[in-house]
Amino acid sequence: MKIAIVGLGYVGLPLAVAFAEAGHEVIGLDTDPRKVEGLNAGKSHIEDVPDAALAPLTERFHATTKRAELASCEAIVICVPTPLTSSREPDLTYLIDSATALSGVLTEGQLVVLESTTYPGTTRERLQPILEESGLRVGEDFHLAFSPERIDPGRTDYTVKTTPKLIGGITPSCTERARELYSLICNEVVVLSSPETAELSKLLENIFRSVNIALVNELAQLCDRLEIDVWEVIDAAATKPFGFMRFDPGPGMGGHCLPVDPFYLAFKAREHDFYPEFIELAGKVNQTQPAFCVERIERALNEREKPVKGSKILLLGLSYKAGVGDIRESPALKIAKRLIELGGDVSYHDPHVPHASELGLDSVLPSEAIEEADVVGILTAHPELDYEEVVSTARLVVDFRGVTRGIDARNLVQL
Ligand SMILES: NC(=O)c1ccc[n+]([C@@H]2O[C@H](COP(=O)([O-])OP(=O)(O)OC[C@H]3O[C@@H](n4cnc5c(N)ncnc54)[C@H](O)[C@@H]3O)[C@@H](O)[C@H]2O)c1
């Protein structure tokens, strides 16, 4: 098959590679010319796709900024960002722009699939009318479906191939075309009754995580007051072989999905005079966690008779999760900004984030910085660092990720 992937980011690029590795011809369309140039020169901008994975695919995969190339493809999969506006409402600009560009070149017989996470109704109410501006009719002249991406960047045990793929088409023939497409690369395709069901299933998966993370973050704040080790409590509860699923506390929730997706559902719910309080409460609790972490660092310094102002504060990890360089919505940024506002002399080390333009800082080398810092805050559990050594070299360590569990040291404070 000849397949186009629109948006070559964390979601689109691994998908493009999966189709190309399965022997299909793949065109990747992206509006960012640097990414396109890089990919065509064999350079990947996504950790999960090493350059070596692109090298054998040069015959079957190329990137482009020209939407006209979509016209010759049998299937087009849209993986563009779905962020929030500054007033925390769904920002469908990227989706609408890509759909508008596609409607100008849509041809009879094509299958279009949306993978971007969004609220129920987007595929039918927003995407379909734009594509039908082409004069073609869905279910008759072209097919349209929603299939959420479930990728977890940095994860190697579950891949595009081994993670079941949900699909929901506008018509039964749309669903059938989408099933055929994903059967090319996925071991299991799960057929749903509509795009809305598929859209909401994805939101449920992410909101489930958001709610459970909020629960353990709140518990961590309570344990701090009760002087109980939250990690020991979670380890203990996790020994139950049924009815409990482990979630770990941390400095707050980050990434492009978990902090964003609940707002997509809340937006849709409001259109129906419904206020999903439970979901919004989870978002609220998670948003308080960075402030709690700042206060914990302040308290740890205070116990050593130091104010934040003027103290050297080294933050280990800036990305929102271990092993990736994605800093979108990362709680570490909020923590760093607040400490800078309080007058802290803040630096950071992150092997995956060489520059942080939001903070005007570059990653420093850890060896000397750890020794010189008044306090070291562990914000991301990157596997590259030896945390035993960090504790043995630093004056004071505050660990928000539980990576120093098992270490008993007077200079160590744990969440
Ligand atoms: N990152 C994840 O872990 C993850 C997991 C599951 C689902 N999702 C969802 O997938 C979607 C994409 O997320 P991502 O993390 O891959 O985003 P990303 O920012 O990494 O990649 C999106 C790409 O789309 C390109 N783009 C923007 N507008 C475009 C347009 N009009 N035409 C062509 N290309 C365009 C951007 O240049 C960028 O390269 C989002 O809806 C997200 O919520 C993300």
Side-chain angles (χ1 to χ4, degrees):
M1 273 184 83
K2 190 168 176 187
I3 299 158
I5 307 292
V6 179
L8 297 170
Y10 286 92
V11 166
L13 187 58
L15 192 65
V17 167
F19 278 117
E21 283 177 342
H24 303 282
E25 190 182 341
V26 181
I27 294 174
L29 177 79
D30 203 289
T31 42
D32 184 342
R34 280 170 312 168
K35 286 182 189 163
V36 167
E37 269 169 40
L39 289 168
N40 289 337
K43 294 255 168 294
S44 168
H45 51 277
I46 299 291
E47 286 100 335
D48 286 350
V49 178
D51 294 351
L54 294 177
L57 304 177
T58 46
E59 298 281 295
R60 292 197 293 281
F61 169 67
H62 79 271
T64 182
T65 54
K66 297 192 184 83
R67 65 176 179 149
E69 291 198 41
L70 300 179
S72 61
C73 295
E74 291 151 79
I76 296 153
V77 184
I78 302 175
C79 311
V80 296
T82 44
L84 295 173
T85 62
S86 53
S87 51
R88 311 302 270 175
E89 300 219 324
D91 176 1
L92 295 183
T93 323
Y94 300 99
L95 182 56
I96 288 166
D97 284 355
S98 58
T100 307
L102 175 56
S103 84
V105 293
L106 195 70
T107 45
E108 220 170 315
Q110 285 183 321
L111 164 69
V112 179
V113 182
L114 176 62
E115 287 218 4
S116 304
T117 308
T118 184
Y119 58 78
T122 308
T123 309
R124 195 186 303 272
E125 294 159 15
R126 306 301 302 270
L127 192 52
Q128 183 184 328
I130 297 175
L131 296 180
E132 288 190 332
E133 280 168 19
S134 62
L136 301 175
R137 290 287 149 257
V138 75
E140 294 168 22
D141 308 315
F142 75 98
H143 293 104
L144 177 61
F146 182 81
S147 176
E149 180 49 69
R150 297 167 131 180
I151 202 164
D152 182 12
R155 182 163 214 131
T156 49
D157 52 352
Y158 286 99
T159 61
V160 172
K161 186 179 166 73
T162 59
T163 309
K165 196 84 175 98
L166 304 181
I167 52 162
I170 297 280
T171 67
S173 58
C174 295
T175 306
E176 182 48 26
R177 287 280 309 275
R179 196 192 58 73
E180 283 166 15
L181 174 72
Y182 288 106
S183 298
L184 300 173
I185 53 164
C186 300
N187 293 348
E188 189 185 344
V189 177
V190 180
V191 171
L192 301 173
S193 60
S194 67
E196 289 78 12
T197 317
E199 288 160 337
L200 187 53
S201 307
K202 171 68 189 181
L203 291 182
L204 170 63
E205 289 167 17
N206 283 357
I207 291 165
F208 172 80
R209 288 186 55 74
S210 162
V211 166
N212 281 286
I213 292 170
L215 180 65
V216 286
N217 278 342
E218 192 177 65
L219 191 73
Q221 294 190 24
L222 175 64
C223 281
D224 178 56
R225 294 190 186 197
L226 298 177
E227 296 186 12
I228 294 174
D229 180 350
V230 68
W231 301 100
E232 196 184 346
V233 173
I234 293 168
D235 285 348
T239 60
K240 188 176 178 185
F242 53 89
F244 182 82
M245 185 180 279
R246 186 190 181 104
F247 283 84
D248 287 336
M253 220 168 50
H256 180 38
C257 299
L258 299 195
V260 171
D261 297 351
F263 289 97
Y264 268 72
L265 189 56
F267 166 82
K268 190 65 188 176
R270 279 201 302 275
E271 279 185 6
H272 294 263
D273 289 335
F274 187 89
Y275 296 86
E277 291 181 33
F278 201 72
I279 297 167
E280 291 191 356
L281 178 65
K284 238 189 249 173
V285 171
N286 283 324
Q287 274 171 14
T288 66
Q289 193 71 357
F292 169 72
C293 296
V294 169
E295 191 261 334
R296 195 66 200 87
I297 290 175
E298 258 181 308
R299 222 181 325 137
L301 281 169
N302 189 51
E303 278 155 19
R304 280 149 188 84
E305 286 160 27
K306 279 187 180 290
V308 169
K309 195 167 184 174
S311 285
K312 283 194 164 140
I313 304 170
L314 173 67
L315 302 177
L316 295 181
L318 215 55
S319 63
Y320 82 96
K321 65 181 259 188
V324 302
D326 192 350
I327 56 170
R328 289 177 291 184
E329 306 278 333
S330 176
L333 288 177
K334 288 189 190 146
I335 293 170
K337 279 184 189 157
R338 183 66 192 138
L339 290 168
I340 292 168
E341 275 166 17
L342 290 171
D345 178 2
V346 175
S347 60
Y348 83 93
H349 168 74
D350 190 315
H352 300 270
V353 186
H355 316 287
S357 46
E358 291 86 343
L359 302 174
L361 296 174
D362 291 335
S363 175
V364 297
L365 287 174
S367 46
E368 281 174 25
I370 291 173
E371 263 177 56
E372 284 171 10
D374 293 304
V375 61
V376 175
I378 302 174
L379 297 182
T380 315
H382 284 313
E384 290 85 351
L385 287 169
D386 177 343
Y387 295 101
E388 240 178 281
E389 201 182 313
V390 171
V391 175
S392 67
T393 335
R395 281 179 224 165
L396 173 62
V397 177
V398 187
D399 173 13
F400 295 106
R401 287 292 185 182
V403 288
T404 60
R405 270 181 293 164
I407 303 176
D408 188 15
R410 288 173 64 83
N411 64 334
L412 176 61
V413 176
Q414 289 166 337
L415 182 68

